[in-house]
Amino acid sequence: MVEGGKSVLELLSSDLETEHVLVTAEFASQNHAQLPARLPLSIATEAELTQLGTLATNTTALAVARLPEEKPLPPTLPEAALLLALDEVRDPGNLGTLLRLADWYGLPGVVLSLGCADAYAPKTVAATMGAFARVRVWERDLADWLPTLPPGVGIFGADLAGDNVHRLTLRPAGVLVMGSESHGLTPGVAAALTRRLHIPRGASGGAESLNVAISAAILLDNFFRNQ
């Protein structure tokens, strides 16, 4: 289920299969050219859209789409580009924001551990702000998958005892693994890391930790800083 006008339009412009769309009359009038003629479409009130969905209010559109089939994960990807891997990130809002980050930096996709939130749950989809339609997602047991990567592929993870990321020159290749905000990386995944990265806190900073999506944004920016 895809909720909100922007997300529904992103869905309709993607290669995902849409089964039905419900829109308000005003939204249909304003976006007539972007609503495919052969698509099953119903006019609904704002109250009906809100009642059917999960948003506090929905004044525009709601759509039902088929879940995409998982495409094969090219084995050369971690050598040629940077993948984001998420280890038991269970909050759908955080997961959606991380998928949005992957879209912003043009990552080829995101690998999710078996304990992550559902990448296509309504709250996750809403948090991606349309990125769900562009970012590929693969599901793997990370503790089993990471050790199978070719020798020389960098497997990076955040760690308070890691190297100061601001002093490193990184290139966007390999795998960046982010763990849950409360528990960090699981032991099997942590053991597969080839380099640990640390985001230094400011001299007068007092926060105990950073949100996982904020941490990922800072680390990703350092990977792409010299591109």
Side-chain angles (χ1 to χ4, degrees):
M1 183 166 61
V2 180
E3 302 176 78
K6 181 182 186 302
S7 293
V8 169
L9 292 178
E10 293 279 7
L11 169 67
L12 296 179
S13 66
S14 74
D15 59 359
L16 299 179
E17 183 180 351
T18 304
E19 292 198 336
H20 202 99
V21 177
L22 294 91
V23 297
T24 62
E26 181 181 5
F27 184 83
S29 175
Q30 293 174 346
N31 299 276
H32 177 74
Q34 294 171 271
L35 300 175
R38 297 183 179 180
L39 184 69
L41 184 145
S42 300
I43 301 298
T45 66
E46 295 179 7
E48 288 169 333
L49 292 180
T50 301
Q51 185 178 18
L52 288 169
T54 64
L55 300 179
T57 58
N58 186 347
T59 63
T60 51
L62 180 150
V64 177
R66 286 189 174 274
L67 292 175
E69 292 186 7
E70 183 179 300
K71 297 180 180 179
L73 174 58
T76 58
L77 263 186
E79 296 178 273
L82 184 66
L83 286 175
L84 181 62
L86 306 180
D87 186 20
E88 298 198 357
V89 175
R90 300 180 184 275
D91 182 86
N94 281 337
L95 177 55
T97 303
L98 287 158
L99 293 174
R100 188 178 177 185
L101 275 171
D103 190 31
W104 178 262
Y105 283 101
L107 304 188
V110 178
V111 183
L112 306 182
S113 76
L114 306 182
C116 280
D118 183 356
Y120 298 104
K123 289 184 178 180
T124 308
V125 169
T128 69
M129 296 299 290
F132 75 94
R134 291 181 292 274
V135 177
R136 291 187 179 183
V137 172
W138 299 279
E139 191 173 86
R140 295 288 187 276
D141 183 323
L142 295 184
D144 289 341
W145 174 67
L146 290 171
T148 68
L149 296 179
V153 170
I155 303 173
F156 306 88
D159 192 304
L160 290 174
D163 299 321
N164 184 336
V165 70
H166 296 158
R167 298 175 180 172
L168 302 176
T169 300
L170 301 170
R171 66 183 186 90
V175 182
L176 173 61
V177 190
M178 303 299 300
S180 73
E181 191 170 332
S182 54
H183 300 104
L185 298 177
T186 55
V189 172
L193 298 181
T194 62
R195 188 157 202 176
R196 298 168 188 266
L197 307 176
H198 171 54
I199 301 170
R201 183 169 54 186
S204 58
E208 181 182 349
S209 63
L210 290 173
N211 171 275
V212 62
I214 293 175
S215 297
I218 294 171
L219 294 176
L220 285 171
D221 191 65
N222 277 274
F223 276 95
F224 286 90
R225 185 175 297 276
N226 297 313
Q227 297 304 300

